Amino acid sequence: MTTKAVFSSLHTGDHTFANRIVMAPLTRSRALNNTPNLLMASYYAQRAESGLIITEGTSPSPNGLGYARMPGIFNRQQIEGWKLVTQAVHAKGGKIFNQLMHSGRIGHQLNLPAGAHLVSPSAVQAHGTIWTDQQQHKNYGTPRALTPEGIQDTKAEFVQAARNAIAAGFDGVELHAANGYLLEQFLSPHTNQRTDDYGGAVENRIRFVVEVAEAVANAIGKEKTGMRLSPYGVASDMHAYDEVDETYTKLATALNDIGILYLHIADHSAGGAPEVPFRIKQAIRESFRNLIIHAGGYDLQRAEHDLTSGLANLVAFGKSFINNPDFVDRLRYGKPLNLILDASTFYTPGARGYTDYPVFEEATVTV
Ligand SMILES: Cc1cc2nc3c(=O)[nH]c(=O)nc-3n(C[C@H](O)[C@H](O)[C@H](O)COP(=O)(O)O)c2cc1C
């Protein structure tokens, strides 16, 4: 099989991606006190050969820190911590975007700092449980419905976080509007039951997401702004609804008008989630002229196919990067992948299962 497309570089006006392989955002819960550290810098530097690293979800606000040991990017220490990461990745020639993830209703009060609270477009509690370091698994908390001022404040937090990301040395930001977190909570009528300009009709439900994208693009540059979407996703107690196609087509068109750098589409059907209809991927591709990243269950062959067919410009890999720090090198030279993946250390603190996965070494034969 020829894999010319996967390893070809990609040049836009503002960026050069060394290859088409993106390291997908992966929450790894190593940020003690919600602050990035040297351990995280080594982890990302180990994976800097990818065309683009998208960091784990990072909260723009104390209210968005729904998960234990999730990093933030809203205070001075966090910016300094992220500088360790961006410098380590850049020193190895890599490129890195920060995923801005406000968890919205997906969280628990125990995971939040004092004074913070869970917020969402409406006060609709998610079904299910979430880990807390203090009391193990707890039911998701009930969020407060954002007030009109709260909506504007939250938008301002995204803008400030994006500025902070640039100050910390990131090449750009990815707005996380997928997987059931705050931005997607605005898109879905299940979680958005508002009766003001931010709820109801499709145009209203996409409004907050579009306004955040526009405000962030104005603040740091549209060429430094991407967004992740998961149409038909069911993560974090999301459900399909009647107007999914219309919602995402209108959203993609509005984001195209703003001119952001990319849309990143997450499809979790390989992991057992419902199939994402191909027609919505095509509709987004047709509505959005800039770069498209696809993620979910990719291997080299499928990546090459979707790059050459024009469906995607870049392809993101998630789990493979956890247990293969030298994933790109292994693909490029046909070295076998490490298939042993320890899910029990996905979210535990410390180096084990994080920075201690080995790079491939030819077996030394001794006689
Ligand atoms: C441990 C773990 C953490 C994840 N954290 C995030 C995250 O912070 N943000 C996000 O958008 N997706 C997250 N995802 C989803 C991945 O980015 C990716 O879409 C998913 O793993 C499917 O790709 P794969 O089949 O190549 O693993 C996570 C997935 C895993 C396994």
Side-chain angles (χ1 to χ4, degrees), residues 133-162:
D133 283 339
Q134 300 89 331
Q135 298 179 17
Q136 290 75 51
H137 292 283
K138 301 288 289 178
N139 287 335
Y140 289 120
T142 303
R144 299 184 189 178
L146 280 163
T147 60
E149 305 78 65
I151 288 187
Q152 299 311 318
D153 291 348
T154 306
K155 196 196 308 174
E157 289 172 342
F158 271 100
V159 171
Q160 187 57 50

Side-chain angles (χ1 to χ4, degrees), residues 44-66:
Y44 283 112
Q46 286 174 342
R47 290 154 178 82
E49 234 194 310
S50 46
L52 172 65
I53 292 174
I54 303 168
T55 69
E56 64 210 90
T58 303
S59 182
S61 152
N63 292 340
L65 288 169

Side-chain angles (χ1 to χ4, degrees), residues 24-28 55-57 99 101 174 176 179 228 266-268 270 295-298 316-320 322 346-347:
L26 294 164
T27 289
R28 303 303 311 278
T55 69
E56 64 210 90
Q99 187 185 57
M101 163 176 159
E174 174 173 288
H176 194 352
N179 301 353
R228 195 170 216 215
D267 173 343
H268 295 133
Y298 272 89
F317 294 79
K319 291 182 287 300
S320 306
I322 294 179
F346 278 0
Y347 307 112

Side-chain angles (χ1 to χ4, degrees), residues 104-115:
R105 69 177 189 153
I106 298 303
H108 192 277
Q109 196 64 37
L110 286 171
N111 291 340
L112 300 183

Side-chain angles (χ1 to χ4, degrees), residues 305-357:
H305 178 271
D306 284 2
L307 291 167
T308 46
S309 77
L311 184 73
N313 303 101
L314 295 147
V315 171
F317 294 79
K319 291 182 287 300
S320 306
F321 268 104
I322 294 179
N323 54 345
N324 293 278
D326 53 344
F327 180 62
V328 175
D329 192 66
R330 292 189 195 226
L331 286 192
R332 194 192 300 275
Y333 299 109
K335 300 173 182 174
L337 292 178
N338 172 25
L339 301 176
I340 301 165
L341 178 63
D342 178 11
S344 75
T345 49
F346 278 0
Y347 307 112
T348 46
R352 201 164 70 81
Y354 188 55
T355 46
D356 61 355
Y357 280 107

